Amino acid sequence: MAWLHLWLGLASGIIVVIVSLTGCIYVFENEIKDFIEDWRFVKPQKEAFLLPSQLVSIADKKMKDKKATSVTFGAKDEAAIVGYFVEKKDNGERGDKEENKKGERRKDFAKNESKNEKSEVKAQKNEKGKGKGKDEKRKGGRRQGTFISVYMNPYTGDILNIKSVSRSDSPDFFRWILNGHRALWLPYDIGRPIVGVAVLIFVVLLISGIVLWWPTKWIKSIIDKSFKIKWDASFKRVNYDMHNVFGFYSCIFLFFIAITGLVWSFGWWSKSLYWVTSGGKPLTESRESPKSDTTNVKTFNITTADKVLLNLRKENPQAAGIMISIPGKPADPIGAFVYKQRHTFYNMDRYSFDQQSLKEISIKTPFSGKYIEANIPDKIRRMNYDIHVGSVLGLTGKIIAFLASLISASLPITGFIIWWGKQKFGKKKPAAKPKVASKAIPVPKLKNTAEQEITA
């Protein structure tokens, strides 16, 4: 077990340090943003919020040819957010049509593409991850593109700030941290499996670590070594105690953080975890959205979204926030998300409505419908993210997750120091040659036996 613990730790140590440190930072993403981004808040007023149609009308004029995809309302002192999604074009570029005209050369590998379509297709095959077609862009069911958030005063409609975030080249600091946390800043197809394997190894390390930590005898001297750090000892002893004791205290929290994180790395792990928590039932997890009735299609009127919002506010007067998604196609429904607590997502209620009749459309996934009506395995799956970041226990849980992740980052370092110390100081030194005295030292003769005993 010690051999397994050593070599698995050496193999995954650097990745565990990176994933743990980025996780420490990402835990408090919302709290840090609330502190430094003052444009996320407004002065509360007695007047009611503007309706989604009013905010979208103002935001669309600012964004010109782009169409809003969602509107989010928070508390009385929070800014409303009108969201836009700009999907990547076929040649892998984002942005306006002028940037995608034939003959325009890009700054990267695509500069070598020719103007004709055959050359573009050839370049797409050679340049993996950049020149992808529509079918290839939907990795894991997710569209590739840029999310633009227009922060607005919900009382007046004033635009407070515009922020863009994308998976690859976003200037957003926390998006960059998340990319490192999930894929080591590599393309997701490459980095995510590497992180997943490292986290799997880390789970084995947690188990083997507990086996090695377990006291051989439950006596006071051994128990003290297992549960306490002797701070006044040598550096080598303090380092060993930190690895041993901190590892024990954080083990249970790190175990839950690790197994919930693996849900995003491996589909088989996600399905297996649901199978275990549901008592053998398969996971129904489809990213396909429910469809609106298209037999009697009319032009979508955004005031329909106003009706959805007013109805949900009436049903959920204590909601911390409500997001309404705006249909882009005749078959798209009006989506609605009701957040019960700020910065918490597991107890969110999710609805889908026909964009013409406003009839509720149901879909069989763990995340659809009301949280209170979900079964136990679906509730556990909804909690996955909040368990991972600790927010399921509120601020206290986030602090625990932060400290546990910080300890997790230190474990490979303290473990490496232990191993390195054994390599450096564990080797037997060659036997020293006996020194030959240059001159014998005379031993005085003792007078009697009593003097010999006293001298002895």
Side-chain angles (χ1 to χ4, degrees), residues 339-356:
Y339 303 98
K340 303 295 184 176
Q341 295 174 268
R342 193 166 182 266
H343 300 331
T344 305
F345 304 98
Y346 73 93
N347 54 357
M348 170 188 69
D349 294 339
R350 179 179 178 179
Y351 304 89
S352 297
F353 301 97
D354 185 281
Q355 61 174 268
Q356 301 296 334

Side-chain angles (χ1 to χ4, degrees), residues 6 10 239 243 410-422:
L6 167 65
L10 291 174
N239 181 77
H243 187 84
S410 72
L411 292 177
I413 299 172
T414 53
F416 178 82
I417 293 173
I418 293 171
W419 172 77
W420 184 257
K422 290 181 179 180

Side-chain angles (χ1 to χ4, degrees), residues 318-375:
Q318 303 299 323
I322 298 176
M323 188 185 84
I324 306 294
S325 69
I326 301 171
K329 299 176 183 178
D332 292 342
I334 299 175
F337 301 83
V338 179
Y339 303 98
K340 303 295 184 176
Q341 295 174 268
R342 193 166 182 266
H343 300 331
T344 305
F345 304 98
Y346 73 93
N347 54 357
M348 170 188 69
D349 294 339
R350 179 179 178 179
Y351 304 89
S352 297
F353 301 97
D354 185 281
Q355 61 174 268
Q356 301 296 334
S357 65
L358 294 185
K359 181 181 178 181
E360 187 175 349
I361 310 169
S362 61
I363 182 172
K364 294 182 179 180
T365 68
F367 299 95
S368 60
K370 295 182 179 181
Y371 171 78
I372 195 172
E373 297 176 355
N375 56 35

Side-chain angles (χ1 to χ4, degrees), residues 271 274 281-287 363-368 378 381:
K271 294 176 182 178
Y274 186 87
K281 295 181 181 179
L283 171 65
T284 304
E285 189 175 32
S286 175
R287 292 191 180 277
I363 182 172
K364 294 182 179 180
T365 68
F367 299 95
S368 60
D378 286 352
R381 178 45 55 95

Side-chain angles (χ1 to χ4, degrees), residues 196-257:
V197 171
V199 175
L200 268 177
I201 293 174
F202 186 69
V203 173
V204 178
L205 288 170
L206 291 174
I207 298 171
S208 61
I210 287 295
V211 173
L212 296 173
W213 169 89
W214 199 265
T216 54
K217 292 182 180 180
W218 290 89
I219 58 178
K220 188 177 185 304
S221 59
I222 298 178
I223 291 175
D224 286 345
K225 292 180 181 179
S226 300
F227 290 94
K228 298 178 182 178
I229 298 176
K230 191 175 182 181
W231 295 105
D232 58 348
S234 64
F235 170 78
K236 188 176 180 180
R237 171 63 187 277
V238 172
N239 181 77
Y240 176 82
D241 284 352
M242 288 176 64
H243 187 84
N244 197 42
V245 177
F246 284 163
F248 165 74
Y249 284 126
S250 63
C251 181
I252 186 65
F253 304 108
L254 292 176
F255 179 77
F256 282 106
I257 291 173

Side-chain angles (χ1 to χ4, degrees), residues 65-66 86-89 91-100 145-146 148:
D65 58 335
K66 297 179 179 63
V86 182
E87 193 168 2
K88 281 188 177 181
K89 305 299 179 181
N91 61 357
E93 287 288 295
R94 295 182 290 109
D96 300 332
K97 294 180 180 179
E98 293 181 359
E99 295 177 350
N100 296 288
T146 303
I148 303 174

Side-chain angles (χ1 to χ4, degrees), residues 76-324:
K76 292 183 178 181
D77 63 341
E78 290 185 274
I81 305 171
V82 178
Y84 293 81
F85 179 73
V86 182
E87 193 168 2
K88 281 188 177 181
K89 305 299 179 181
D90 290 350
N91 61 357
E93 287 288 295
R94 295 182 290 109
D96 300 332
K97 294 180 180 179
E98 293 181 359
E99 295 177 350
N100 296 288
K101 289 181 180 180
K102 292 182 179 180
E104 183 175 358
R105 298 186 177 276
R106 290 177 279 173
K107 294 181 180 180
D108 53 7
F109 175 85
K111 289 182 179 180
N112 297 323
E113 294 178 346
S114 63
K115 296 180 182 180
N116 58 67
E117 185 178 357
K118 292 182 179 180
S119 298
E120 290 180 359
V121 173
K122 184 177 180 181
Q124 290 169 6
K125 292 181 180 179
N126 293 331
E127 190 184 14
K128 294 181 180 180
K130 292 186 178 180
K132 298 189 181 240
K134 289 182 179 179
D135 294 336
E136 296 175 301
K137 287 187 295 184
R138 288 181 169 271
K139 292 184 179 181
R142 295 180 182 271
R143 293 183 296 172
Q144 301 297 308
T146 303
F147 296 90
I148 303 174
S149 299
V150 180
Y151 290 81
M152 305 178 67
N153 188 314
Y155 302 100
T156 63
D158 294 338
I159 295 177
L160 306 176
N161 192 52
I162 299 175
K163 193 171 185 178
S164 299
V165 177
S166 68
R167 284 192 169 199
S168 56
D169 55 354
S170 172
D172 183 75
F173 172 74
F174 285 101
R175 183 71 240 186
W176 182 79
I177 288 293
L178 185 61
N179 287 340
H181 184 72
R182 295 193 65 185
L184 304 176
W185 299 288
L186 298 170
Y188 267 55
D189 287 350
I190 300 173
R192 188 160 60 177
I194 294 175
V195 170
V197 171
V199 175
L200 268 177
I201 293 174
F202 186 69
V203 173
V204 178
L205 288 170
L206 291 174
I207 298 171
S208 61
I210 287 295
V211 173
L212 296 173
W213 169 89
W214 199 265
T216 54
K217 292 182 180 180
W218 290 89
I219 58 178
K220 188 177 185 304
S221 59
I222 298 178
I223 291 175
D224 286 345
K225 292 180 181 179
S226 300
F227 290 94
K228 298 178 182 178
I229 298 176
K230 191 175 182 181
W231 295 105
D232 58 348
S234 64
F235 170 78
K236 188 176 180 180
R237 171 63 187 277
V238 172
N239 181 77
Y240 176 82
D241 284 352
M242 288 176 64
H243 187 84
N244 197 42
V245 177
F246 284 163
F248 165 74
Y249 284 126
S250 63
C251 181
I252 186 65
F253 304 108
L254 292 176
F255 179 77
F256 282 106
I257 291 173
I259 64 173
T260 52
L262 285 170
V263 168
W264 294 292
S265 294
F266 302 114
W268 60 266
W269 179 275
S270 175
K271 294 176 182 178
S272 300
L273 190 61
Y274 186 87
W275 185 86
V276 170
T277 56
S278 65
K281 295 181 181 179
L283 171 65
T284 304
E285 189 175 32
S286 175
R287 292 191 180 277
E288 293 185 5
S289 301
K291 305 296 182 184
S292 290
D293 184 8
T294 57
T295 57
N296 185 19
V297 179
K298 299 178 182 178
T299 303
F300 173 72
N301 190 338
I302 195 170
T303 56
T304 310
D306 299 343
K307 298 178 182 178
V308 173
L309 176 67
L310 294 174
N311 290 337
L312 290 177
R313 275 184 181 166
K314 187 176 180 180
E315 295 175 7
N316 303 272
Q318 303 299 323
I322 298 176
M323 188 185 84
I324 306 294

